[in-house]
Structure formats: structure tokens, C-alpha cells
Amino acid sequence: MYDSDECGEGGRVRGAFEAILDGSREPALPSVTDAAVVGGRRIRRRRTAVSGAVGVLVAAVLTAGAVAALPGADPGRSSVPLAPVSSPPAATTGPASPSAVPSEPSAVPTPSGGTTGNAPGAAPRTSPLP
């Protein structure tokens, strides 16, 4: 059936393999829980990085829009400089302009109610002329 050389040689090889396998420990397999924790941390880091990048991008777009909307962006248009906040108001020299509102009204309108006459204690409908 088998040659004695093959059986003997096969037995020696088998014995060598068994000695190697018996002498070393099996590698530790990672647990499912450890793999889930590591995967969750990776997802959280990625989500944080993406949301941070989106926030920076939105801030950059808003800043660019605000800068573009500032006056003076058109080279043909000149901007008027404003006075600093701490400076006193400019003093007017010359005569004051007349007010458009009269100082004393000649007639004071009153809402018309259901009564036609003056009730006791009621004010007259118009003020007397001076």
C-alpha cells in the first residue's frame, strides 16, 4: 500500500507540524464589542471633521458675501468718508432755518361725535383766534 519511506517521512513531517503548532499559542481574535467601539469612534471623528469643514466653508462664504456687499466695491463709485464717532457734532454757522411747524395752531380739530352741541364740561370744538 504505502512505502515505508513515505509513511515514515510523512510521519516525521506531521510530527514537526504538531510540535510547531503545540508550542505556540493561538492568536487572539478581536471581540465584536471592541470592533464596534473602534468603528464608532472612527465614525464620530469623521462626522466631527466634516461638520467642522462645513462650518468653515459657510463662514467663508458669508464673509465673502459681506465683503462683496460693502460700499466701494465698484471702482467708478466713490465712497463718502464718515466722521468718527468720538468727534463732536459740527457747529452750524449762520441763521437758523425757520421751522415748518407753526408755534400755535389757530384751530384744534376734534373728532366729531354723536352730539352736535357742547356738553357740560366739554371743550369747545375750536380754539379762539388770538
Side-chain angles (χ1 to χ4, degrees):
M1 198 157 144
Y2 293 108
D3 268 337
S4 64
D5 289 336
E6 287 182 24
C7 188
E9 189 176 325
R12 282 183 293 193
V13 171
R14 177 176 287 185
F17 277 123
E18 286 178 2
I20 291 172
L21 292 176
D22 288 340
S24 64
R25 296 184 321 192
E26 293 183 11
L29 297 175
S31 70
V32 177
T33 307
D34 292 339
V37 168
V38 170
R41 286 182 183 149
R42 185 181 322 117
I43 290 171
R44 236 177 284 124
R45 279 194 307 260
R46 185 181 305 144
R47 188 179 300 151
T48 303
V50 167
S51 64
V54 167
V56 168
L57 182 66
V58 167
V61 167
L62 289 176
T63 303
V67 167
L70 288 176
D74 186 18
R77 195 171 75 180
S78 65
S79 63
V80 178
L82 299 176
V85 177
S86 64
S87 67
T92 58
T93 58
S97 62
S99 174
V101 178
S103 59
E104 291 185 29
S106 59
V108 177
T110 57
S112 59
T115 61
T116 58
N118 289 337
R125 291 188 183 232
T126 60
S127 63
L129 293 173

